[in-house]
């Protein structure tokens, strides 16, 4: 695998997790409220509170699903290639640079 493989894997899983999180949120909203999820924030028959509540729930679900899936994909990539996934490698390098700067100050 390589950088291209990582990008394809990352994009594909992000799209899939977005679709699943959206469907789960809409289904959960219908189950909880008995109404269809507000898909247009400007729907006049929806209150501001309802539209805002759905936006908050939807954003939280999407962020949680995306984070979970991306970390799982990074783990898979690491197991498959024996190398850290590119975002993980960048995070480590960034942290090491920061620690080095702090050490140089002292």
């Amino acid at each position: 695998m390589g950088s291209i493989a990582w990008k394809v894997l990352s994009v594909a899983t992000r799209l899939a997790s977005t679709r699943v999180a959206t469907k789960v949120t809409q289904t959960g909203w219908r189950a909880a409220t008995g109404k269809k999820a507000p898909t247009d924030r400007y729907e006049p028959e929806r209150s501001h509170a309802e539209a805002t509540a759905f936006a908050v729930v939807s954003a939280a679900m999407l962020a949680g699903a995306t984070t979970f899936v991306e970390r799982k994909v990074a783990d898979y990539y690491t197991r498959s290639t024996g190398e850290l996934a590119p975002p993980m490698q960048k995070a480590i390098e960034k942290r090491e640079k920061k620690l080095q700067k702090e050490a140089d100050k002292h």
Side-chain angles (χ1 to χ4, degrees), residues 12-101:
T13 55
R14 182 178 284 252
L15 290 172
S17 69
T18 298
R19 190 163 175 85
V20 170
T22 300
K23 187 68 173 169
V24 167
T25 303
Q26 290 176 347
T27 302
W29 186 267
R30 183 182 290 271
T33 65
K35 295 190 268 182
K36 184 180 171 208
T39 53
D40 182 0
R41 61 181 160 242
Y42 298 111
E43 290 179 57
E45 64 273 2
R46 304 291 182 140
S47 70
H48 294 293
E50 184 178 8
T52 301
F54 180 75
V56 168
V57 169
S58 181
M61 285 294 293
L62 183 58
T66 301
T67 300
F68 176 79
V69 169
E70 285 181 350
R71 291 191 61 104
K72 288 295 184 183
V73 169
D75 289 344
Y76 170 77
Y77 182 91
T78 301
R79 285 192 315 273
S80 298
T81 64
E83 299 175 7
L84 288 176
M88 296 174 87
Q89 187 62 41
K90 285 180 185 176
I92 289 171
E93 290 168 3
K94 185 178 178 180
R95 186 179 64 218
E96 287 174 352
K97 276 186 178 180
K98 184 178 179 181
L99 290 173
Q100 186 63 44
K101 282 183 180 179

